[in-house]
Amino acid sequence: MDITQRFLNYTQFDTQSSEESTTVPSTAKQLVFAKYLKEELENEGLSDVEMDDMGYIYATLKANTKKKTPTIGFISHYDTSPDCSGANIKARIVRNYDGGDIVLSEGIVSSPTKFPELKAHVGEDLIVTDGTTLLGADDKAGIAEIVQAMCWLRDHDEVKHGDIRVAFNPDEEIGMGAHHFDVERFGCDWAYTMDGGDIGDLEFENFNAASAKIPIKGISVHPGYAKGKMVNANRLAAEFAALLPADETPEETEGYEGFYHLLGIQSGIEQATLSYIIRDHDRERFEERKHFMEKCVERMAEKYGDDMIRAEIKDQYYNMKEKIDPNMHVIDIVLTAMQESGVTPRVEPIRGGTDGAQLSFKGLPCPNIFAGGVNFHGPYEFVSIQVMEKAVNVITKICEITAEYND
């Protein structure tokens, strides 16, 4: 099976995760695909194929050399984003893309005017949606690339490699993918998530991340008789939001710049809750951001009463650079693999997080490599077949180079 058919097969499964769920995985439909994927790995001849009751899949491509080599791993997630439907995906291939508009369906057009990323893929074969769902290249492209690379290595015994572990997990899109990942069972010296964007992406810096909820209590009184009595939680919510710097939001920042992002407001006269995420690449600045939000709450509490407002701030994950810097050979191997595969590396910070960030802090250094998808989480998502093929080449090269690695 070629990588195109493998990926298209994967897109037929709806694996959307849910932020509202308390189960693992967060949606039962993810397990349907997980069982299919487990059977596929078994049919392709991988060893030690197992899936736990939470849908985490682990497998091994056994070494074909007697030389002592590091055990490395490749990881991708199979859930798709809650932001856009992943049901009934109608993928199609645009052969030899000419650089113009792509009509996804009537009235829905993917245009390089709006999405200039398309221009980098003229002459390639692009897999697109019909404009009503996401595609799921995030991260089924990564899964397809890993499985395809394992099959290629299986069939090319002349390319020597050590034990290679692969793992596929649910719920990355809701920040839970690494929470139940069994690093000890995985048993790798280091690993790579195939969960990056366009060709050449190599990421080993990400945001430090926290969530914040600001519950506000109000007092409801008939507005005609409210003077000196009413406390309008709606108005307090707006007042609090105005205390945070307007130029430190996602809309106003890029690169290494951090932000406060207001996810939503649930609001009424008697009760309001603001939900935020806090992000910064610099750990010290990250701590300062959390402290600033707490100071804003204290300022409001002094004005309206300690029992009227509070802050609930929880750390989510940290910048994996702290854990990668002492293990830069993990990055050097990828850079060499990309160059030998004819791929120009693009080393950039992630303005987000990956499972690899949490896994790095669990003792498994785990940078992120491109999987090829572009315009994630929406109906204009696409992936280039040629880029997926390049990703396969990079994976196999990493395995080959690692077999010659001397600590």
Side-chain angles (χ1 to χ4, degrees):
M1 185 186 302
D2 67 12
I3 193 168
T4 303
Q5 188 58 55
R6 196 180 300 278
F7 172 70
L8 290 174
N9 287 351
Y10 294 168
T11 66
Q12 298 310 295
F13 291 85
D14 179 7
T15 57
Q16 189 179 49
S17 50
S18 171
E19 294 176 305
E20 308 305 318
S21 173
T22 58
T23 63
V24 182
S26 62
T27 53
K29 56 191 175 183
Q30 291 184 69
L31 287 177
V32 176
F33 178 62
K35 291 174 183 175
Y36 170 89
L37 188 56
K38 176 179 179 289
E39 291 179 3
E40 183 177 68
L41 295 174
E42 292 170 338
N43 292 336
E44 295 291 7
L46 273 74
S47 305
D48 310 323
V49 181
E50 54 183 333
M51 183 178 80
D52 66 20
D53 58 1
M54 294 179 288
Y56 287 73
I57 302 168
Y58 307 92
T60 306
L61 182 68
K62 293 291 190 182
N64 63 358
T65 177
K66 294 182 180 179
K67 181 181 177 181
K68 184 178 180 181
T69 64
T71 299
I72 63 170
F74 295 90
I75 303 167
S76 288
H77 65 91
Y78 53 75
D79 66 313
T80 60
S81 171
D83 294 346
C84 184
S85 174
N88 301 312
I89 293 172
K90 296 178 176 62
R92 68 181 177 90
I93 302 172
V94 178
R95 299 288 184 186
N96 192 23
Y97 172 58
D98 63 7
D101 290 354
I102 301 174
V103 178
L104 303 178
S105 58
E106 186 175 354
I108 304 175
V109 178
S110 183
S111 170
T113 302
K114 187 173 183 179
F115 302 107
E117 301 88 350
L118 283 164
K119 297 177 182 177
H121 297 282
V122 173
E124 298 176 9
D125 302 317
L126 308 185
I127 304 176
V128 300
T129 75
D130 69 348
T132 63
T133 68
L134 48 67
L135 178 62
D138 180 14
D139 190 24
K140 289 171 184 167
I143 298 174
E145 291 153 7
I146 292 170
V147 176
Q148 200 71 22
M150 296 305 103
C151 292
W152 189 92
L153 289 168
R154 176 201 64 198
D155 296 338
H156 290 79
D157 198 53
E158 74 277 7
V159 177
K160 300 305 176 185
H161 59 81
D163 281 348
I164 304 165
R165 293 280 279 163
V166 301
F168 306 117
N169 60 268
D171 291 339
E172 188 270 353
E173 296 292 0
I174 59 172
M176 301 295 291
H179 284 214
H180 301 282
F181 192 104
D182 193 331
V183 170
E184 185 175 350
R185 174 188 286 187
F186 197 42
C188 291
D189 293 282
W190 68 84
Y192 302 96
T193 49
M194 298 298 298
D195 192 21
D198 213 344
I199 188 166
D201 282 359
L202 172 58
E203 300 158 329
F204 58 94
E205 297 180 69
N206 60 277
F207 279 137
N208 296 289
S211 64
K213 289 190 181 298
I214 312 297
I216 299 171
K217 290 172 61 177
I219 299 173
S220 180
V221 178
H222 187 291
Y225 307 94
K227 184 173 182 179
K229 302 172 185 175
M230 176 185 285
V231 178
N232 188 337
N234 293 302
R235 190 174 58 78
L236 269 63
E239 184 176 339
F240 178 85
L243 294 176
L244 299 180
D247 60 348
E248 296 181 20
T249 64
E251 306 95 306
E252 300 292 334
T253 54
E254 61 184 354
Y256 285 95
E257 296 170 335
F259 56 73
Y260 306 91
H261 179 37
L262 179 58
L263 295 175
I265 304 174
Q266 294 179 322
S267 188
I269 300 292
E270 291 191 318
Q271 180 70 46
T273 302
L274 299 95
S275 299
Y276 285 90
I277 58 173
I278 304 169
R279 300 290 189 263
D280 210 290
H281 281 91
D282 181 83
R283 186 66 173 267
E284 184 176 342
R285 179 65 179 133
F286 173 64
E287 298 297 333
E288 290 173 355
R289 286 187 181 282
K290 292 188 293 180
H291 182 65
F292 178 75
M293 185 169 279
E294 289 170 341
K295 294 297 289 184
C296 289
V297 168
E298 290 175 11
R299 177 175 168 182
M300 294 279 291
E302 289 175 2
K303 185 174 180 180
Y304 296 104
D306 291 342
D307 61 338
M308 304 304 282
I309 184 170
R310 67 182 191 275
E312 300 171 358
I313 300 176
K314 297 180 181 179
D315 287 358
Q316 296 172 305
Y317 53 82
Y318 303 108
N319 190 344
M320 77 171 88
K321 187 175 188 295
E322 291 181 32
K323 302 300 181 181
I324 300 297
D325 277 349
N327 298 283
M328 283 303 291
H329 62 279
V330 174
I331 301 301
D332 294 338
I333 288 170
V334 183
L335 293 173
T336 302
M338 284 189 180
Q339 290 160 358
E340 292 186 7
S341 301
V343 173
T344 301
R346 298 191 310 176
V347 181
E348 296 180 348
I350 310 171
R351 286 186 61 78
T354 71
D355 285 337
Q358 296 180 54
L359 293 173
S360 293
F361 280 87
K362 293 176 78 169
L364 180 68
C366 197
N368 193 38
I369 300 173
F370 72 93
V374 184
N375 297 334
F376 297 150
H377 297 189
Y380 298 97
E381 183 183 5
F382 71 89
V383 67
S384 161
I385 293 173
Q386 285 76 15
V387 172
M388 287 197 295
E389 291 171 342
K390 282 291 187 181
V392 173
N393 293 344
V394 170
I395 293 170
T396 59
K397 277 293 181 182
I398 289 172
C399 297
E400 183 179 2
I401 293 166
T402 302
E404 300 299 323
Y405 173 74
N406 292 310
D407 192 351

